[in-house]
Amino acid sequence: MQLPTGNGPLHERTWGIDREEGQMVNDLISISSEPIEVPFIEVPDDLKSNLLVTSVDALVNWGRKSALWPVSFGLACCAFEMMATAMGRFDIARFGMEAFRASPRQADLMIVAGTVTWKMAPPIRRIYDQMADPKWVISMGVCATSGGPYFGSYSVVPGVDHIIPVDV
């Protein structure tokens, strides 16, 4: 995207940027009609007590689970609840995740808190893609999970799991 230049009215100078962003939103809407499926590994009953099925990634993720660094990402009123978890009453520092990161490259947990609109979907996807692996996503509140009281609105995503894979 290029920054608008020239002397005309701002809405005329930014029309190309608006059209490009609108096309990106329409593309996300068209490919996001269903939630993203999570793969499932089935272990036979006779092996369940003797076998642990995992991957190296899952083993590394298990080792890092007590040192999560969340990215600062609040969209609406649930963001206040997310911020409150870092305060003395709830104290998420005991779980090793007191340091909210401003950069997605330093974070391994995204807490999506608040109403997700289609206009905000491309930045959410971009931030998720910029996070290093392994990474996890928590959908906090009914608005992020299913649209909440705005469910069915033309501008609200019916759950952040239509945009990115959600773990919790």
Side-chain angles (χ1 to χ4, degrees), residues 97-157:
M97 52 189 287
E98 72 273 7
F100 279 86
R101 301 296 175 184
S103 168
R105 298 181 196 280
Q106 299 171 347
D108 51 10
L109 173 67
M110 177 189 280
I111 303 172
V112 180
T115 308
V116 179
T117 61
W118 285 112
K119 181 120 176 147
M120 198 62 193
I124 290 173
R125 182 64 191 199
R126 188 177 319 118
I127 289 172
Y128 177 79
D129 290 340
Q130 289 175 352
M131 291 171 60
D133 285 325
K135 55 190 167 188
W136 299 276
V137 176
I138 295 175
S139 176
M140 183 178 171
V142 71
C143 289
T145 305
S146 67
Y150 312 107
F151 179 77
S153 174
Y154 71 95
S155 63
V156 175
V157 178

Side-chain angles (χ1 to χ4, degrees), residues 58-78:
L59 186 62
V60 170
N61 292 348
W62 174 79
R64 292 183 59 191
K65 76 177 182 180
S66 293
L68 295 173
W69 291 354
V71 65
S72 305
F73 201 84
L75 295 170
C77 47
C78 276

Side-chain angles (χ1 to χ4, degrees), residues 13 15 27 47 69-70 85 159 167:
R13 291 183 285 148
W15 180 243
D27 291 345
L47 296 177
W69 291 354
T85 61
D167 298 297

Side-chain angles (χ1 to χ4, degrees), residues 11-39:
H11 70 277
E12 289 178 8
R13 291 183 285 148
T14 61
W15 180 243
I17 295 171
D18 294 341
R19 187 179 318 198
E20 190 177 318
E21 185 178 76
Q23 185 60 46
M24 187 184 310
V25 169
N26 285 334
D27 291 345
L28 267 173
I29 290 172
S30 67
I31 63 171
S32 302
S33 60
E34 296 293 323
I36 297 171
E37 293 292 324
V38 179

